[in-house]
Amino acid sequence: MHFNFYTVDPETPAYEEPKFIVFYSMLLQLFTLFCFKCNASGPSATMRQHGTMVTVIRSCSQCLEQYVWKSQPPPLCGKFPIGNMLLSFAILMSGASISTVLLVFCHMGLQVYSARSFFRHQKPYLFPVILHHWETFHANIVSRIKQLKDVAWTGDGRFDSVGHSAKYGVYTMFCTTIVKIVHFELVQVCNRLFY
């Protein structure tokens, strides 16, 4: 059996930290060992799920202290746990089907949010971040190309197959000098393109 040992810098962003699967019984065993304040044994613990995050509420009958622990760092963007947002981003970037991913999680018993939550994360959070990244990437490429001499370009449009009638197509501009797609445009197909 191979073991990896991790040490993570406290300044490491949450999205770069390693993540682990933890079982309910193991969390219960950990939080019911003893009270962190008075060291009394056998405090009670309850768990509350919020998508991929679990909140453990441990109560001690001796000192009446209640301790709350969350399995993920505080949310960075609004009310959604970081694990929920990272999972939605990973599914979107990998091109995986949300229904397939949720089915895998269901078969394994992993706690997760619903497909509706996945789509709710996209418009206000994920799409703006992806668009901002693309615009920054695009601006850097254009500025780099402007400094070059003898730049070679190729372009191609992709529409529907012959005999079909797609309403839209994609036209892509590729710079062979730096081997990067510099621009793409979604264009509406009209009859004038074929004359």
Side-chain angles (χ1 to χ4, degrees):
M1 184 180 275
H2 179 71
F3 293 100
N4 290 328
F5 294 94
Y6 293 97
T7 49
V8 179
D9 183 355
E11 300 297 316
T12 303
Y15 63 88
E16 289 183 0
E17 286 181 30
K19 291 120 186 114
F20 305 95
I21 295 174
V22 181
F23 283 65
Y24 176 91
S25 58
M26 296 295 105
L27 278 177
L28 195 61
Q29 182 181 343
L30 178 67
F31 284 97
T32 56
L33 275 175
F34 62 89
C35 174
F36 299 152
K37 186 176 180 183
C38 71
N39 292 333
S41 61
S44 63
T46 56
M47 296 186 208
R48 204 171 53 219
Q49 177 214 353
H50 186 190
T52 60
M53 183 177 78
V54 64
T55 302
V56 180
I57 302 153
R58 201 222 48 235
S59 303
C60 178
S61 58
Q62 299 293 323
C63 67
L64 304 177
E65 193 226 7
Q66 195 173 61
Y67 177 77
V68 177
W69 176 83
K70 294 186 178 191
S71 64
Q72 297 176 13
L76 296 174
C77 50
K79 59 185 177 182
F80 301 111
I82 291 175
N84 292 359
M85 296 302 291
L86 287 175
L87 179 62
S88 292
F89 181 75
I91 293 169
L92 188 62
M93 289 295 97
S94 68
S97 158
I98 181 62
S99 57
T100 303
V101 172
L102 293 180
L103 185 61
V104 169
F105 280 26
C106 175
H107 285 299
M108 192 172 171
L110 283 173
Q111 300 306 298
V112 71
Y113 51 71
S114 65
R116 189 171 156 210
S117 293
F118 168 73
F119 293 112
R120 202 174 330 133
H121 295 160
Q122 290 181 3
K123 189 175 180 181
Y125 301 107
L126 301 180
F127 289 160
V129 168
I130 293 166
L131 182 62
H132 173 71
H133 178 75
W134 164 251
E135 288 170 348
T136 306
F137 178 78
H138 181 255
N140 289 338
I141 286 180
V142 169
S143 120
R144 182 176 159 198
I145 290 171
K146 284 181 179 178
Q147 297 170 2
L148 298 175
K149 294 179 182 178
D150 301 325
V151 178
W153 291 92
T154 60
D156 192 18
R158 181 179 175 99
F159 300 96
D160 209 345
S161 313
V162 177
H164 295 77
S165 57
K167 188 171 182 181
Y168 297 96
V170 177
Y171 197 83
T172 306
M173 291 299 296
F174 183 79
C175 180
T176 57
T177 310
I178 63 169
V179 194
K180 298 266 185 213
I181 293 175
V182 178
H183 187 71
F184 64 92
E185 193 75 38
L186 184 66
V187 291
Q188 185 171 355
V189 177
C190 61
N191 291 336
R192 289 179 302 203
L193 291 175
F194 301 106
Y195 293 125

